[in-house]
Amino acid sequence: MPQALERAEGGWAWVVLLASMMTQGLTLGFPTCIGIFFTELQHEFQASNSETSWFPSILTAMLHAGGPLCSILVGRFGCRVTVMLGGVLACLGMVASSFCRTLSQLYIAAGFITGLGMCFSFQSTITVLGFYFTRRQAMANALASVGVSLGITLWPLLARYLLEDLGWRGTFLVFGGVFLHCCVCGAILRPVATSMPPETREGPPPPSKTPVPSCLAACGQAVQRHLAFDILWHNAGYRVFTLGVAWMILGFPLPHVFLVPYAMRHGVDEHRAALLISIIGFSNIFLRPMAGLVAGRQDFASHRKYLFSLAVLLNGLTNLVCVVSADFRVLVGYCLVYSVSMSGVGALFFQVLMDIVPMDRFSRALGLCTILESISILVSPPLAGFLLDTTNNNFSYVFYMSSFFLISAALFMGGSFCALQKKEEQGRQAEAEAATMQAAPQRTLTVEGTDGSEKRPCTEIMYVTSV
């Protein structure tokens, strides 16, 4: 029996938006609470900062690296099944991690399996929003990202509460049950009617006479079909955005991982240190919708990419505050200012990508972008942990490192977008002048003779020159 398709921009779209909001809170908000377990895991496994940092880096890297596989599953089974499969995988990974005896087992269970499951759930809900909302994409993305803020607010508080009563193993077991709520959210994602006409098939296709491609060629075709390498090669704006974001990610996740250990090392109470992450999340609840509404205005439509670069620049400059002082009141102020830039980055990221690439290629473009992000995420926390080990736990170098990558990425994206825009304007102006030259009209004028009795046609040629 064929399923009834939902209408885009209809009433059910807001239910899907609520499900997407909750899914993003469960998935994207979760890595921010890993810092609470950082010291506990170090003591449990007698590991160094660099070794312990591999756990959050693998988890967050898989959250982004599974994009191409998620794209394949969405194209084959749809967003609903992919989100529910992600919830099951995330649950199994957290439950298995509660029984781990070595860090290597933790890397596989809580890092690889849970991260891949969260990727399936998160990226599928992002993709389905693009089909349910056409005119109000900016607002929908901003409201859905409020779920990330709720997750950043609630995950650290829940983790701190459960850690005291159940330990980290019991806490991870409870987290496995929490991730099953992604299955409920996935069940809400009904298929949506699109404007594309359905394919018509009159009969079975004739047998092909071309030879069957080899396994290597088939893999190459699959990679080319599901990864946007053609867009990366031909679309300069997408190339600048992808490379800039990959460079930015080398510094962006570091405060989420090391802020709590940094505060605890400088004498801040465990509860107050965990509260710092919640302050960032709570502030984003109000700041992200405001940033989304501003980005959704038509006045700012052509400036979204510059606003994104400005938010990244502010984020990098804000991290320098932690180098100045580790006092709790200073850190609270840092979290509030950091929330402003973080809300801008979160609200504008997907909207800028949707502005740069067509919607029918968005899933592929997002997949390749997240692949490059995952490489940066996989390297960044262990590199910062190695920096801590070699500098006798001097956290100032971690925040210097974060600021360097963020500021340089912002300057690169802002300058490149400006240069591309000037090049496009010059190209359009040259095309307009060439078209005007080709269409230079020849007007026929009637000229009277000196005696006033004879009228002769006279051809006037109009020349157009560049001003």
Side-chain angles (χ1 to χ4, degrees):
M1 181 182 296
Q3 290 182 323
L5 300 179
E6 292 293 333
R7 182 169 54 89
E9 301 282 352
W12 193 255
W14 300 101
V15 181
V16 172
L17 177 61
L18 183 63
S20 177
M21 184 187 304
M22 185 173 179
T23 304
Q24 290 193 37
L26 290 172
T27 55
L28 287 182
F30 177 71
T32 57
C33 75
I34 299 299
I36 295 175
F37 303 97
F38 195 88
T39 306
E40 194 78 18
L41 294 175
Q42 265 189 309
H43 294 160
E44 173 76 17
F45 298 106
Q46 297 296 312
S48 63
N49 289 300
S50 180
E51 292 172 338
T52 311
S53 299
W54 278 104
F55 163 49
S57 68
I58 293 174
L59 172 70
T60 316
M62 290 308 303
L63 179 58
H64 296 79
L69 182 57
C70 178
S71 176
I72 296 173
L73 293 176
V74 168
R76 179 66 179 86
F77 301 105
C79 293
R80 171 187 282 181
V81 175
T82 308
V83 172
M84 298 175 72
L85 174 63
V88 173
L89 284 177
C91 169
L92 292 177
M94 292 308 296
V95 170
S97 66
S98 64
F99 299 98
C100 291
R101 298 299 174 187
T102 63
L103 267 179
S104 301
Q105 296 173 353
L106 191 69
Y107 295 159
I108 297 174
F112 183 83
I113 299 177
T114 300
L116 188 62
M118 291 194 301
C119 172
F120 290 168
S121 297
F122 144 64
Q123 293 199 20
S124 301
T125 56
I126 292 294
T127 302
V128 80
L129 279 182
F131 294 105
Y132 266 99
F133 291 91
T134 55
R135 292 182 294 107
R136 291 172 282 195
Q137 281 185 354
M139 185 189 67
N141 286 324
L143 292 177
S145 65
V146 173
V148 183
S149 306
L150 289 171
I152 295 173
T153 304
L154 298 177
W155 273 118
L157 299 178
L158 178 64
R160 184 75 257 170
Y161 174 77
L162 294 176
L163 184 61
E164 292 180 349
D165 293 341
L166 303 177
W168 73 268
R169 296 184 184 275
T171 303
F172 280 16
L173 189 63
V174 174
F175 284 172
V178 174
F179 278 123
L180 283 177
H181 289 82
C182 292
C183 300
V184 180
C185 297
I188 295 175
L189 307 182
R190 298 174 181 172
V192 61
T194 61
S195 58
M196 294 182 295
E199 297 181 356
T200 57
R201 294 183 179 179
E202 298 179 355
S208 176
K209 297 181 179 180
T210 59
V212 179
S214 63
C215 181
L216 185 60
C219 292
Q221 293 175 1
V223 169
Q224 186 176 4
R225 186 168 60 252
H226 295 286
L227 288 181
F229 285 109
D230 56 336
I231 307 176
L232 185 67
W233 181 257
H234 295 100
N235 191 330
Y238 176 69
R239 187 161 58 246
V240 169
F241 179 78
T242 303
L243 296 178
V245 167
W247 186 258
M248 175 198 77
I249 293 297
L250 287 171
F252 187 75
L254 296 183
H256 302 154
V257 177
F258 293 100
L259 180 60
V260 174
Y262 169 66
M264 292 172 59
R265 181 172 178 80
H266 288 81
V268 179
D269 181 68
E270 294 179 357
H271 296 276
R272 302 176 83 185
L275 187 63
L276 292 173
I277 301 294
S278 298
I279 290 174
I280 295 176
F282 184 76
S283 303
N284 271 261
I285 295 175
F286 307 99
L287 292 173
R288 286 208 183 202
M290 294 174 58
L293 291 176
V294 171
R297 292 178 59 88
Q298 292 299 322
D299 304 339
F300 297 100
S302 59
H303 303 290
R304 290 190 186 115
K305 49 184 176 289
Y306 300 111
L307 293 176
F308 178 77
S309 303
L310 183 62
V312 175
L313 178 63
L314 179 61
N315 194 276
L317 294 174
T318 305
N319 289 331
L320 297 175
V321 175
C322 292
V323 180
V324 178
S325 174
D327 183 73
F328 180 73
R329 291 171 294 182
V330 175
L331 292 179
V332 169
Y334 158 76
C335 291
L336 293 175
V337 180
Y338 181 86
S339 300
V340 176
S341 60
M342 182 180 174
S343 62
V345 173
L348 289 168
F349 178 86
F350 297 107
Q351 187 59 43
V352 171
L353 185 58
M354 289 180 181
D355 292 339
I356 293 175
V357 299
M359 191 59 215
D360 58 341
R361 298 184 178 184
F362 174 76
S363 180
R364 295 171 56 218
L366 180 63
L368 180 58
C369 185
T370 52
I371 278 283
L372 297 179
E373 284 182 30
S374 66
I375 298 174
S376 302
I377 293 173
L378 190 64
V379 173
S380 179
L383 182 61
F386 175 76
L387 197 62
L388 285 176
D389 292 333
T390 55
T391 58
N392 196 19
N393 289 333
N394 189 343
F395 282 86
S396 298
Y397 291 100
V398 173
F399 291 100
Y400 279 131
M401 171 183 167
S402 177
S403 297
F404 166 74
F405 286 116
L406 288 164
I407 293 173
S408 57
L411 295 177
F412 166 74
M413 287 189 291
S416 300
F417 283 137
C418 184
L420 287 175
Q421 185 174 1
K422 288 183 178 179
K423 185 177 180 180
E424 290 176 0
E425 291 176 355
Q426 292 175 356
R428 286 195 297 265
Q429 183 179 1
E431 290 177 0
E433 291 177 358
T436 309
M437 287 290 292
Q438 292 177 0
Q442 292 186 352
R443 302 183 192 178
T444 301
L445 301 180
T446 303
V447 182
E448 294 186 1
T450 55
D451 57 354
S453 61
E454 183 183 359
K455 295 182 179 180
R456 294 178 289 107
C458 178
T459 302
E460 178 191 21
I461 301 178
M462 180 182 297
Y463 294 98
V464 179
T465 59
S466 176
V467 178

